[in-house]
Amino acid sequence: MQSLVDKMRFLYKPYVLAVLTIGYIAGELGHYLIGVTSKATAIELDYGDHACQQNHTEVHRHLLPQQCADIELEHECHGQHVNGTVYCEWNYNGLGLEYQLLAGPSFIAVFTVMGVVLGFAADRFNRVRLLAICTLVFGIAIIFQGTVKDYWQLILLRMVMAAGEAGCNPLATGIMSDIFPESKRALVMAIFNWGIYGGYGIAFPVGRYITKLDIWGQGWRICYYGTGVLALIMAVLTGTTLKEPERQSIGEEASGKGKVSLVKALMQPRVILLMIAASIRHCGGMTFAYNADLYYNIYFPDVDLGWWLFAVTIGIGSIGVVIGGIVSDKFVAKMGIRSRVACLAISQLIATPFAFGSVYFDPLWAMITLGISYFFAEMWFGIVFAVLVEIVPLQVRSTTIGVFLFVMNNIGGNLPILVDPLAKAIGYRGSVMFFYAGFYGISTVLFFITMFFMDGPKPEPAISGDEHRNQVEMGHENNTFQPDDFINGIGGPKTNGHNIVNVRPSESSRL
């Protein structure tokens, strides 16, 4: 009789995806909480800008003789009232250069460097153990963020958190690529990378409403305690219930294994263009992520949009992520890798005007256009990494992902710091609109250009049905990367006029 373990074996792959994704969500929740709790954090830790703000009285914004956000002087702010009720206050608003440094560069500086280091490590050591350690590190750092007394302590702990979280993407991507077949790669990558938007979306209700509950008198701090504990649970599950998958190697000639150059892999024009386009798109997304809650609180202080932002991000964003992966996987089978990049370009093109609408209209239409924008915009992340793992050799896959993230996050993660100086010149709304929706539009053009550097549909390989089935089951029906490009040089002549791709499992590295 077949054992229960054998009967339940089919659940292992979905379980791995669930554990990796929930762990990623915990890390990203810790990452983005600062954008929602920043005002409360700034008031308590004494950092950032002061500004005139509506003080949450029952007076509705449209009935006010003057909007608080339009007042620049403190004494004028205190003098605003309706029927004797003062409706403005002069206090920390959670913004300013110190906030932008806290949200972006302090995290990105460590995240990008450690991403490269852990990418190299992932190609050489046991990825499951490394991922468990990384999750443990950022979980502890998030918990300690709830205990800080000074601004510098928060900066330091966000750097530690970044060091741990940097391993999530390259390590988990390598694990999943060895478990799931190419036919499901974009969908799986999309679901995993949805963890970014899942954590970001959950940050709205957690940061807003849990802070207001003031559980045990901890205010915003309890948000970090709970998030850190979730991360620790996922670290334990990762280390004790997941196993290191057997690595598969491609790109070997019949006469022996050819060396793969990381530099040549990265210097392919299509990789460089994809990296630049992804960096610009990432800047647009990070700008909105770091500023959405603060933006809507400043311009619509009498409208509670916390649950709307949660619903749009989690609900509509999730649908977009899944559909993007499915569409990409269906098209690539018929039209080649170029079709994945076409999906990227078209989705961002559609999303761009609606992104403008989300920071132009009043609350109702802002949320409607944001939902439409999210549906198309959030297709991008999983597809980008599905493309990346298909155009570079598997021997340097995790390292390449680490370097790719290093560049993407240094550009996309640090450029939003310019929101503050531009806001002082043209206004906060105009600044957010430029770096958010404007960069969506720029990325659209770059993705279209990148598409023409990708391969079109390829003929079916001349292998038997059994061999083809075995390759698909092993998760490595990857015919996009041409190994002799790296033996004879990019664009050089092919050996005997053929592309030789042999699939052979290599021994897994161990710590």
Side-chain angles (χ1 to χ4, degrees):
M1 179 179 290
Q2 189 179 22
S3 68
L4 180 62
V5 174
D6 291 335
K7 291 180 180 179
M8 301 299 289
R9 196 179 300 278
F10 74 97
L11 293 175
Y12 178 71
K13 291 181 181 180
Y15 172 76
V16 171
L17 179 59
V19 170
L20 297 180
T21 303
I22 294 173
Y24 202 21
I25 289 173
E28 290 301 300
L29 176 56
H31 177 193
Y32 290 114
L33 266 177
I34 190 62
V36 186
T37 65
S38 183
K39 182 177 178 180
T41 308
I43 291 173
E44 192 168 334
L45 301 183
D46 190 30
Y47 70 83
D49 289 350
H50 287 81
C52 189
Q53 306 159 73
Q54 191 171 330
N55 62 5
H56 303 292
T57 63
E58 296 301 318
V59 181
H60 293 290
R61 184 174 57 89
H62 66 278
L63 299 176
L64 300 178
Q66 186 173 5
Q67 298 300 315
C68 301
D70 296 332
I71 300 172
E72 298 181 357
L73 300 177
E74 183 175 359
H75 70 276
E76 292 183 8
C77 181
H78 293 311
Q80 303 301 314
H81 63 87
V82 173
N83 297 326
T85 300
V86 177
Y87 62 86
C88 291
E89 66 176 4
W90 187 265
N91 206 339
Y92 288 104
N93 64 356
L95 288 170
L97 183 60
E98 288 175 291
Y99 164 69
Q100 298 295 344
L101 287 171
L102 183 65
S106 66
F107 181 91
I108 296 300
V110 177
F111 183 85
T112 54
V113 173
M114 287 302 299
V116 177
V117 173
L118 291 169
F120 275 102
D123 286 324
R124 291 158 177 79
F125 303 112
N126 187 297
R127 294 162 295 182
V128 169
R129 293 178 188 173
L130 284 173
L131 183 57
I133 293 170
C134 287
T135 308
L136 181 66
V137 168
F138 74 68
I140 293 173
I142 293 172
I143 290 175
F144 275 102
Q145 285 179 59
T147 69
V148 298
K149 301 297 182 184
D150 296 296
Y151 173 78
W152 70 266
Q153 295 172 342
L154 195 55
I155 286 277
L156 180 62
L157 285 168
R158 279 184 66 80
M159 294 172 73
V160 175
M161 177 180 70
E165 195 177 339
C168 286
N169 202 302
L171 292 167
T173 299
I175 292 170
M176 291 184 296
S177 294
D178 283 333
I179 292 177
F180 291 94
E182 182 188 16
S183 61
K184 298 180 180 178
R185 186 173 293 145
L187 177 59
V188 169
M189 296 295 181
I191 292 173
F192 170 74
N193 284 291
W194 172 83
I196 295 176
Y197 308 104
Y200 164 55
I202 295 170
F204 288 114
V206 170
R208 282 192 178 203
Y209 306 124
I210 300 299
T211 297
K212 290 180 180 178
L213 289 175
D214 196 22
I215 300 172
W216 301 317
Q218 294 298 305
W220 57 271
R221 298 176 184 274
I222 199 71
C223 303
Y224 291 88
Y225 295 147
T227 304
V229 169
L230 174 61
L232 295 185
I233 293 173
M234 303 319 297
V236 172
L237 290 177
T238 299
T240 59
T241 64
L242 303 190
K243 60 182 180 180
E244 174 75 358
E246 190 172 40
R247 301 176 195 243
Q248 311 298 325
S249 62
I250 65 173
E252 295 177 351
E253 288 188 302
S255 59
K257 185 174 181 179
K259 290 185 177 181
V260 174
S261 169
L262 174 63
V263 174
K264 286 185 177 180
L266 289 169
M267 293 307 293
Q268 296 178 79
R270 56 186 180 176
V271 173
I272 294 173
L273 285 169
L274 185 67
M275 194 180 297
I276 295 172
S279 299
I280 297 300
R281 170 57 181 82
H282 192 49
C283 176
M286 296 301 283
T287 296
F288 189 76
Y290 289 147
N291 293 278
D293 191 74
L294 294 165
Y295 171 84
Y296 289 118
N297 268 330
I298 289 173
Y299 286 97
F300 312 116
D302 59 333
V303 181
D304 188 350
L305 296 175
W307 285 114
W308 281 102
L309 290 168
F310 169 77
V312 168
T313 305
I314 297 297
I316 299 177
S318 301
I319 296 172
V321 164
V322 173
I323 289 179
I326 293 174
V327 170
S328 173
D329 281 335
K330 294 295 183 183
F331 282 0
V332 78
K334 297 180 179 179
M335 300 170 59
I337 191 66
R338 184 178 296 166
S339 66
R340 290 207 199 275
V341 186
C343 289
L344 282 172
I346 294 170
S347 64
Q348 302 314 298
L349 176 63
I350 297 173
T352 297
F354 294 103
F356 273 108
S358 68
V359 289
Y360 175 80
F361 294 117
D362 282 343
L364 175 60
W365 278 102
M367 291 299 100
I368 292 173
T369 53
L370 179 63
I372 298 172
S373 174
Y374 255 56
F375 178 83
F376 292 100
E378 303 318 317
M379 294 180 179
W380 84 284
F381 210 88
I383 300 178
V384 162
F385 284 95
V387 170
L388 185 62
V389 299
E390 290 171 5
I391 62 176
V392 297
L394 298 184
Q395 292 95 327
V396 292
R397 178 180 54 212
S398 294
T399 307
T400 302
I401 291 171
V403 174
F404 191 94
L405 285 169
F406 175 85
V407 175
M408 188 181 80
N409 283 297
N410 264 297
I411 297 175
N414 285 320
L415 276 180
I417 197 174
L418 299 178
V419 168
D420 183 65
L422 186 61
K424 289 178 169 60
I426 67 172
Y428 188 42
R429 171 174 279 169
S431 182
V432 170
M433 189 177 292
F434 173 74
F435 282 103
Y436 163 41
F439 274 43
Y440 273 23
I442 296 171
S443 73
T444 298
V445 176
L446 294 174
F447 281 130
F448 268 120
I449 295 173
T450 305
M451 180 180 67
F452 294 103
F453 286 81
M454 296 294 173
D455 295 332
K458 291 185 176 295
E460 290 293 326
I463 58 176
S464 68
D466 289 338
E467 287 178 339
H468 183 265
R469 183 166 54 254
N470 289 338
Q471 287 185 9
V472 172
E473 289 174 353
M474 292 168 68
H476 292 281
E477 189 194 10
N478 186 338
N479 298 314
T480 301
F481 165 63
Q482 305 301 329
D484 35 346
D485 282 347
F486 293 87
I487 297 169
N488 299 321
I490 300 298
K494 309 298 188 232
T495 304
N496 298 326
H498 299 285
N499 297 323
I500 304 171
V501 178
N502 296 325
V503 179
R504 179 183 63 81
S506 61
E507 184 180 0
S508 298
S509 300
R510 293 178 173 84
L511 283 175

